Amino acid sequence: HASPRTEQIHIFAPPGKLGVVIDTPDEDAPVVHAIKDNSPLQGKLLVGDKLMAIDDDDVKYLSAIDVSKIISRKSNNLQRKFTVLRSYRDGN
């Protein structure tokens, strides 16, 4: 049985609100839980993406609340770089 393939992806977010809901299930890395329809990251970030870093600062051991605070604190930046780990199962 093949294990899922993972890929590290960089996504650049524009300034302002992103409409992304972050969760930290199972004491694991913060994960994208939901993306609102009006999010500028619709089609770029995917539900299930694991957040590894924001602007190259490691966030994989932070709580969802702390990650959300970092994202909103940087909301005036021209861009924010999200580094995510995306898993692909066979057939995707």
Side-chain angles (χ1 to χ4, degrees):
H1 199 68
S3 60
R5 208 163 38 85
T6 58
E7 183 181 6
Q8 193 160 303
I9 299 170
H10 302 292
I11 292 160
F12 293 92
K17 283 201 170 295
L18 298 179
V20 175
V21 181
I22 308 289
D23 191 19
T24 32
D26 333 315
E27 303 295 314
D28 203 4
V31 70
V32 176
H33 179 69
I35 300 164
K36 298 188 174 133
D37 290 339
N38 60 355
S39 169
L41 297 179
Q42 186 79 26
K44 294 180 183 173
L45 267 184
L46 297 181
V47 170
D49 283 352
K50 287 189 176 184
L51 227 44
M52 298 285 111
I54 298 170
D55 293 334
D56 297 320
D57 291 330
D58 191 338
V59 298
K60 60 181 173 276
Y61 301 113
L62 297 183
S63 71
I65 292 162
D66 287 342
V67 171
S68 298
K69 280 183 186 158
I70 292 168
I71 293 170
S72 51
R73 196 170 63 228
K74 294 172 174 272
S75 66
N76 293 328
N77 296 8
L78 284 174
Q79 69 175 19
R80 289 161 282 178
K81 176 182 168 190
F82 290 75
T83 303
V84 301
L85 205 58
R86 184 168 295 167
S87 295
Y88 298 94
R89 302 211 175 273
D90 286 345
N92 284 358

